[in-house]
């Protein structure tokens, strides 16, 4: 129990009052919500004075430092914001700790601080785009965790390394995770492992440790990460020769669905085995205060009794909507599984399943969702509107999303707006506007190698499409070839399928159908390996167009390819793809000398 000033909770009766830490965590969460939604309404100096006083009274509340970091960042005081951010990471790892350990209080003050601080430091470097420094911090954290037998921290470090390898493009980790304390460059095979093989081994090792230590949240996170790996990587055996050598070189949708189901199953059993120990992050407290405030205001509006006669506020809370006692982090992981399902169905080409899973996330997990993940759900829904309803409907929905997520604080909505503007400019033939948007994409991406790979890929892809629309075929092909090299270097095989299809389109429009055929066939092969059903149908349609461009003798072959792709296109394709398929079908019939319209 901490003695606090009354202005924090607006108690009119007493100059000072006693507040529990449970309520203080709720207050800090409320202030974080205010800073996120309307930072201009929070004065810099008075807020810092309140936070400084709170830190003096309760130095173990490290979240105070994080709020001061947010406040300084919103007021453009970058030196102070960086200072508070480092303090937050130091205090969260050292003063309060991150993991529950069965050690004596004296030991806990020594063991766990250093490796936890290194884990936080690695996450800090990862977030701000320094993958090599992050890997160095993680490698040292692994060494210290093994020295101190800190299995919980070690499991989280392995999960953090796998998250880094999957999110940030790294072409080589030689010399970074090559120590004997971490993964190593070989697993007893005598050959170095690729980044993807290291990632898979790390994920499985982290999953095994999380299951053994009953770390529920980490266990669910690892299942989601494995689902993402199974979605984007063809699993090749470490030893691919001999009688037991596997020849299957395709992704497996069944494994993706299995891991996502296991993730949801783990979280649905939360609390049944004693794992739901009182979560002290203040999320339950925030909902409690909000409901209590609503209940009290409604009670005051209908009551004529003076405030001095109120003896117990419990009934006001008890008979109104109750918050969920499940920690916010657990609900966020459950929601992430639905977002992952939506992404998987985007790859597999089922538009109804994309909309269904995204709507489930936006409806059921919006309260616990972070701003970035909720905005991602909005982005997916608006993209569906653009493909199936047109740009007018998409821009109407985008306007509502911009009001909810200001572009200044959310980059995903801003990127979506730029993508839609670029698509519309290309369709209308406004090439100058399209080129300006391409330049903006290039400015947004970081100049650091290996960072913002997806954004850089998007910028190059749109630049190539703009050059293609301007009929600058050689320059468009050069950009696309360079992009293919980058995607291959960072093992972005799913993106390679789109780049190969773009190269086929460039050669078709430049009247070099013979040169375009190998690219279309290669794209089709990539799509089959990764189960990209809708993109495979689009590649098949491009292949039909290429055969058709070679002369009327190939009209029947082109017609057969069109009929092969029509069920998928008509069932799940957007407006443009469906219209394009009908045009190609008509051209096939008109080119065929044996066709008669009578």
């Amino acid at each position: 129990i901490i003695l606090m000033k009354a202005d924090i909770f607006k108690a009119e009766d007493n100059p000072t009052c006693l507040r529990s830490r449970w309520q203080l965590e709720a207050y800090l969460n409320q202030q974080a919500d205010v800073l996120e939604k309307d930072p201009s309404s929070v004065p810099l100096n008075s807020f810092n004075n309140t936070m400084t006083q709170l830190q003096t009274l309760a130095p173990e509340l490290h979240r105070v430092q994080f709020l001061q970091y947010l406040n300084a960042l919103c007021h453009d005081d970058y030196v102070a914001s960086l200072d508070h951010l480092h303090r937050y990471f130091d205090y969260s790892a050292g003063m309060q700790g991150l993991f529950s350990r069965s050690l004596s209080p004296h030991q806990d003050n020594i063991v766990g601080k250093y490796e936890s601080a290194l884990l936080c430091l690695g996450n800090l470097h990862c977030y701000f785009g320094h993958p090599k420094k992050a890997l160095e911090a993680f490698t040292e954290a692994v060494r210290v965790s093994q020295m101190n037998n800190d299995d919980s921290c070690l499991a989280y470090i392995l999960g953090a390394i796998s998250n880094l390898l999957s999110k940030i493009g790294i072409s080589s980790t030689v010399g970074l995770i090559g120590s004997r304390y971490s993964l190593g460059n070989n697993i007893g095979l005598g050959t170095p492992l690729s980044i993807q093989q290291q990632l898979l081994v790390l994920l499985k090792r982290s999953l095994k440790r999380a299951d053994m230590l009953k770390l529920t949240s980490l266990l669910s996170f690892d299942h989601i990460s494995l689902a993402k790996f199974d979605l984007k990587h063809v699993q090749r055996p470490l030893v691919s020769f001999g009688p037991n050598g596997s020849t299957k070189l395709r992704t497996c949708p069944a494994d993706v669905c299995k891991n996502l189901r296991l993730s949801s199953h783990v979280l649905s059993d939360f609390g049944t085995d004693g794992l739901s120990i009182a979560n002290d992050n203040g999320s339950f407290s925030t909902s409690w205060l909000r409901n209590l405030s609503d209940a009290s205001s409604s009670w005051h509006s209908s009551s004529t009794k003076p405030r001095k006669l109120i003896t117990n506020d419990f009934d006001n809370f008890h008979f109104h909507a109750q918050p969920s006692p499940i920690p916010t982090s657990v609900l966020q992981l459950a929601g992430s599984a639905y977002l992952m399902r939506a992404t998987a169905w985007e790859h597999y080409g089922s538009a109804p399943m994309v909309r269904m899973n995204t709507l489930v996330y936006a409806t059921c997990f919006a309260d616990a969702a972070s701003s970035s993940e909720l905005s991602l759900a909005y982005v997916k829904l608006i993209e569906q509107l653009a493909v199936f309803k047109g740009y007018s409907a998409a821009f109407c929905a985008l306007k509502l999303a911009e009001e909810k997520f200001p572009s200044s604080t959310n980059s995903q909505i801003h990127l979506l707006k730029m993508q839609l503007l670029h698509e519309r400019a290309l369709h209308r033939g406004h090439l100058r506007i399209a080129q300006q948007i391409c330049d903006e994409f290039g400015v947004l991406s970081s100049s650091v190698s290996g960072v913002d790979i997806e954004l850089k890929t998007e910028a190059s892809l749109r630049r190539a499409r703009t050059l293609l629309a301007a009929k600058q075929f050689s320059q468009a092909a050069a950009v696309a070839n360079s992009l293919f090299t980058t995607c291959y270097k960072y093992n972005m095989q799913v993106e390679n399928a789109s780049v190969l299809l773009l190269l086929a389109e460039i050669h078709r429009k430049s009247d070099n159908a013979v040169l375009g055929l190998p690219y279309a066939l290669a794209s089709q092969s990539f799509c089959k390996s990764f189960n990209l059903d809708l993109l495979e149908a689009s590649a098949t349609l491009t292949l039909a167009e290429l055969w058709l461009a070679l002369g009327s003798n190939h009209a029947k072959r082109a017609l057969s390819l069109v009929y092969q792709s029509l069920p998928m296109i008509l069932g799940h394709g957007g407006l443009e793809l469906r219209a394009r398929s009908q045009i190609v079908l008509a051209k096939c019939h008109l080119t065929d000398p044996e066709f008669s319209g009578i």
Side-chain angles (χ1 to χ4, degrees):
I1 299 177
I2 303 171
L3 185 66
M4 289 298 301
K5 281 227 171 184
D7 56 354
I8 290 181
F9 290 101
K10 298 182 180 179
E12 297 89 350
D13 302 328
N14 304 316
T16 58
C17 56
L18 292 176
R19 297 295 179 187
S20 66
R21 176 177 173 175
W22 192 62
Q23 293 171 310
L24 294 179
E25 291 280 2
Y27 168 73
L28 293 176
N29 277 358
Q30 284 181 327
Q31 296 304 306
D33 291 339
V34 172
L35 283 170
E36 181 179 3
K37 295 176 181 177
D38 189 14
S40 61
S41 64
V42 181
L44 175 64
N45 294 328
S46 60
F47 184 83
N48 280 338
N49 292 335
T50 303
M51 291 296 105
T52 302
Q53 183 182 12
L54 181 58
Q55 185 182 12
T56 303
L57 295 172
E60 71 277 5
L61 293 178
H62 60 272
R63 198 165 303 180
V64 171
Q65 295 289 344
F66 187 75
L67 286 176
Q68 289 182 298
Y69 150 72
L70 288 178
N71 188 38
L73 189 65
C74 293
H75 289 85
D76 298 331
D77 190 352
Y78 299 111
V79 175
S81 65
L82 187 61
D83 180 56
H84 289 299
L85 184 63
H86 279 98
R87 290 186 184 183
Y88 167 74
F89 277 98
D90 291 340
Y91 290 178
S92 63
M95 296 189 66
Q96 192 171 355
L98 295 176
F99 318 108
S100 57
R101 304 179 180 87
S102 58
L103 299 172
S104 66
H106 177 71
Q107 289 176 322
D108 197 34
N109 288 331
I110 301 174
V111 177
K113 281 187 179 182
Y114 185 45
E115 58 264 33
S116 300
L118 287 170
L119 173 59
C120 289
L121 178 63
N123 285 322
L124 179 68
H125 286 313
C126 178
Y127 183 81
F128 287 103
H130 302 284
K132 291 185 178 180
K133 291 184 178 180
L135 278 175
E136 290 173 355
F138 288 146
T139 303
E140 179 68 10
V142 169
R143 185 186 68 82
V144 178
S145 297
Q146 290 182 336
M147 287 178 57
N148 295 332
N149 295 320
D150 194 344
D151 292 333
S152 298
C153 187
L154 181 60
Y156 277 96
I157 294 168
L158 294 177
I161 295 176
S162 63
N163 185 55
L164 172 66
L165 294 180
S166 63
K167 283 190 174 182
I168 298 182
I170 303 175
S171 59
S172 176
T173 57
V174 175
L176 292 176
I177 44 180
S179 79
R180 62 187 180 91
Y181 297 103
S182 58
L183 179 61
N185 288 332
N186 59 76
I187 312 293
L189 300 175
T191 57
L193 297 181
S194 67
I195 299 298
Q196 288 68 43
Q197 290 171 325
Q198 295 186 47
L199 173 58
L200 181 60
V201 174
L202 281 170
L203 283 173
K204 290 185 176 180
R205 184 178 296 180
S206 178
L207 180 68
K208 182 178 179 181
R209 287 181 176 272
D211 188 23
M212 179 179 63
L213 299 171
K214 303 299 181 183
L215 302 174
T216 309
S217 297
L218 182 60
L219 191 63
S220 179
F221 168 79
D222 287 334
H223 278 301
I224 294 176
S225 299
L226 278 172
K228 181 179 178 181
F229 184 92
D230 292 333
L231 179 66
K232 300 191 70 174
H233 296 92
V234 172
Q235 290 194 34
R236 291 178 171 83
L238 298 180
V239 180
S240 57
F241 56 86
N244 297 324
S246 175
T247 58
K248 179 182 176 183
L249 297 178
R250 296 186 63 177
T251 58
C252 185
D255 291 342
V256 176
C257 296
K258 177 183 176 182
N259 276 301
L260 291 175
R261 282 198 302 268
L262 286 174
S263 173
S264 302
H265 176 71
V266 168
L267 294 176
S268 66
D269 291 342
F270 189 87
T272 59
D273 54 356
L275 292 175
S276 57
I277 304 172
N279 186 276
D280 208 11
N281 65 355
S283 57
F284 182 85
S285 313
T286 306
S287 301
W288 182 84
L289 284 177
R290 187 182 300 116
N291 291 338
L292 179 59
S293 176
D294 295 340
S296 299
S297 60
S298 62
W299 187 88
H300 278 295
S301 62
S302 61
S303 175
T304 57
K305 295 181 180 181
R307 179 169 176 81
K308 295 294 183 180
L309 297 179
I310 299 177
T311 57
N312 190 359
D313 290 335
F314 175 77
D315 291 338
N316 290 333
F317 167 66
H318 185 70
F319 290 106
H320 287 75
Q322 302 297 305
S324 172
I326 301 177
T328 303
S329 59
V330 175
L331 291 177
Q332 286 178 347
L333 280 172
S336 297
Y338 280 94
L339 274 183
M340 186 64 198
R341 285 187 179 94
T343 303
W345 286 115
E346 280 180 346
H347 283 74
Y348 298 147
S350 178
M353 294 300 293
V354 174
R355 292 193 293 270
M356 184 190 73
N357 283 282
T358 308
L359 286 171
V360 168
Y361 177 83
T363 303
C364 301
F365 298 96
D367 292 337
S370 63
S371 176
S372 60
E373 288 193 342
L374 188 58
S375 65
L376 178 60
Y378 277 66
V379 165
K380 290 183 181 296
L381 292 173
I382 295 172
E383 286 175 343
Q384 292 285 306
L385 281 176
V387 172
F388 292 95
K389 298 294 184 181
Y391 294 110
S392 298
F395 277 108
C396 289
L398 181 64
K399 184 178 180 180
L400 298 175
E402 285 180 321
E403 295 175 356
K404 186 175 180 65
F405 306 100
S407 58
S408 59
T409 59
N410 194 284
S411 59
Q412 291 175 334
I413 298 296
H414 182 59
L415 288 175
L416 174 64
K417 184 177 182 179
M418 292 174 59
Q419 290 169 352
L420 294 179
L421 288 173
H422 184 263
E423 293 286 347
R424 189 174 67 175
L426 287 182
H427 282 129
R428 293 182 176 180
H430 300 161
L431 299 183
R432 181 174 297 179
I433 297 176
Q435 184 59 47
Q436 290 176 354
I437 297 174
C438 288
D439 294 338
E440 291 184 25
F441 270 105
V443 170
L444 288 176
S445 60
S446 173
S447 59
V448 179
S449 177
V451 180
D452 292 339
I453 290 296
E454 294 182 356
L455 186 56
K456 293 175 181 177
T457 302
E458 180 80 10
S460 298
L461 192 63
R462 293 193 175 275
R463 184 186 173 198
R465 291 183 58 193
T466 304
L467 292 171
L468 175 61
K471 296 184 179 181
Q472 299 179 14
F473 302 116
S474 59
Q475 296 181 25
V479 173
N481 278 307
S482 175
L483 178 58
F484 180 84
T485 303
T486 301
C487 292
Y488 185 82
K489 176 182 178 181
Y490 292 106
N491 201 51
M492 303 171 69
Q493 303 298 344
V494 175
E495 288 77 5
N496 272 340
S498 300
V499 178
L500 288 169
L501 190 58
L502 175 62
L503 283 167
E505 189 72 15
I506 292 172
H507 288 296
R508 182 182 70 83
K509 290 188 176 181
S510 62
D511 296 328
N512 290 319
V514 175
L515 294 178
L517 282 173
Y519 292 108
L521 289 170
S523 177
Q524 194 179 46
S525 177
F526 267 98
C527 292
K528 288 180 179 179
S529 298
F530 290 91
N531 297 283
L532 310 176
D533 295 342
L534 187 59
L535 190 61
E536 182 186 352
S538 181
T540 304
L541 189 63
T542 300
L543 193 60
E545 290 177 309
L546 290 168
W547 281 115
L548 198 61
L550 292 177
S552 59
N553 295 332
H554 302 282
K556 289 186 177 180
R557 178 179 294 180
L559 185 62
S560 174
L561 290 171
V562 172
Y563 281 136
Q564 179 182 335
S565 62
L566 271 182
M568 187 67 192
I569 291 176
L570 296 180
H572 299 276
L575 294 174
E576 182 182 356
L577 187 58
R578 292 203 301 266
R580 180 182 158 205
S581 65
Q582 296 294 341
I583 293 173
V584 177
L585 181 62
K587 286 182 177 180
C588 288
H589 287 303
L590 292 174
T591 307
D592 189 356
E594 299 179 3
F595 175 75
S596 175
I598 300 176

